[in-house]
Amino acid sequence: MNASAARVLRGATFLVFFGFVLVALNVVFDGTAWDVTLIPRLLALLAFLFAAVAVVATPRISRLLDVTVWNEPVVPLFAGYLLVTCGSLLVALNASAGFTDLFRTLATFVTLCLACLLLPVVPRWQQHVVSLFVIAGLVAATVGFVEIGGRLGFGLHGRRAMEQITGLMSSVNLFAGLLALILPWCLCGTAVLRTAGRAWAALASVAVLTLIALLQSRAAWLAVLAGAAAAGGIVLADRATFGLSKRARVLVAATFLLVPCGLVAGIATAPADNLFAQR
């Protein structure tokens, strides 16, 4: 295989695997199931992983991979966790109830192993992963806004009404939690991607953050605030890495102090019927 063909094969393998795991899997659901996402997405992921392992094991792909990455501590540690999960079924009073957890753990372990193998196969893989998260953010935000517009109409709605907006998840809280997990990657994209990518990352960040606010999930709000506080602390503490001047550090510190104070003051002085103050 010549160098050009190997490069195309690496790129295609990377895109298919991470594109499915980070983007496509988030839109798999079964509206007739009791839990519209858990089992449908688990089954879809297991089927995809079975096919992915078969493809990666072929000589054309396997010769491009470095399996020594599995020596990193995270892989054997998670393998131990998988063995503990399997062993727990032997002493469980109702072993059948634990099969879902077993297969979720197995799927996570196989995903971890494949991700460790496939991440280094393309140059600048970090930017590619961030780009896929930006796409995931745009897709999730689009689904959320389409649901709001179709079911409630655009505008501010109470929490009770927002419980209809699930974003192809099982509940509004799970959807808001997914958005909170995607948001840091979208914000990262505004810094590490190139010009066009930064614009899309900024759009995804604004859309995801707006949707988190509209969904009125306190757990997601707390996650965003905690993440922002942690990020601000890291930026202020690690001056060498971020290279911020004293004036920039003061500006960052002031922002992270004034924004929470402004939120608290706004909530405290808001009318009793304010949707966000009620939450």
Side-chain angles (χ1 to χ4, degrees):
M1 184 185 302
N2 58 47
S4 178
R7 184 168 58 253
V8 171
L9 188 58
R10 287 191 185 99
T13 304
F14 180 96
L15 181 61
V16 170
F17 179 79
F18 289 102
F20 179 84
V21 171
L22 298 179
V23 181
L25 189 61
N26 293 332
V27 297
V28 174
F29 78 107
D30 180 2
T32 64
W34 180 76
D35 188 321
V36 299
T37 56
L38 176 59
I39 299 303
R41 291 186 185 180
L42 179 58
L43 291 175
L45 179 59
L46 288 171
F48 175 79
L49 291 175
F50 180 82
V53 170
V55 171
V56 167
T58 59
R60 293 186 67 188
I61 302 293
S62 60
R63 67 166 61 102
L64 303 174
L65 306 176
D66 179 14
V67 296
T68 60
V69 71
W70 287 346
N71 294 328
E72 293 295 325
V74 65
V75 176
L77 285 174
F78 206 99
Y81 174 65
L82 176 60
L83 291 176
V84 171
T85 303
C86 294
S88 67
L89 294 181
L90 300 176
V91 296
L93 296 178
N94 185 3
S96 62
F99 281 123
T100 300
D101 289 331
L102 173 61
F103 283 114
R104 280 194 299 185
T105 306
L106 175 63
T108 305
F109 176 68
V110 176
T111 301
L112 171 66
C113 291
L114 290 176
C116 290
L117 285 178
L118 297 176
L119 280 174
V121 301
V122 295
R124 298 176 54 247
W125 60 265
Q126 296 93 335
Q127 286 85 350
H128 295 312
V129 169
V130 172
S131 296
L132 287 171
F133 270 107
V134 170
I135 295 173
L138 291 171
V139 170
T142 300
V143 170
F145 284 118
V146 167
E147 283 193 0
I148 292 175
R151 297 182 181 181
L152 304 175
F154 291 105
L156 294 177
H157 303 280
R159 167 63 179 184
R160 182 83 52 188
M162 277 297 178
E163 290 180 358
Q164 303 176 51
I165 311 304
T166 60
L168 304 182
M169 302 287 286
S170 299
S171 70
V172 63
N173 286 327
L174 287 177
F175 182 39
L178 174 67
L179 294 171
L181 290 172
I182 293 175
L183 178 61
W185 296 92
C186 295
L187 293 172
C188 177
T190 63
V192 304
L193 297 180
R194 295 177 179 176
T195 305
R198 289 184 179 182
W200 285 109
L203 176 62
S205 300
V206 171
V208 169
L209 189 58
T210 301
L211 199 51
I212 289 174
L214 292 176
L215 293 177
Q216 301 169 47
S217 170
R218 288 175 294 195
W221 290 354
L222 181 60
V224 171
L225 291 176
I234 293 172
V235 169
L236 293 175
D238 195 353
R239 292 180 295 177
T241 299
F242 295 96
L244 295 180
S245 64
K246 182 177 180 180
R247 180 178 179 181
R249 293 199 304 274
V250 170
L251 181 61
V252 171
T255 300
F256 280 94
L257 286 175
L258 293 176
V259 169
C261 292
L263 289 174
V264 171
I267 293 173
T269 58
D273 59 350
N274 183 275
L275 298 176
F276 298 104
Q278 289 176 355
R279 295 298 293 167

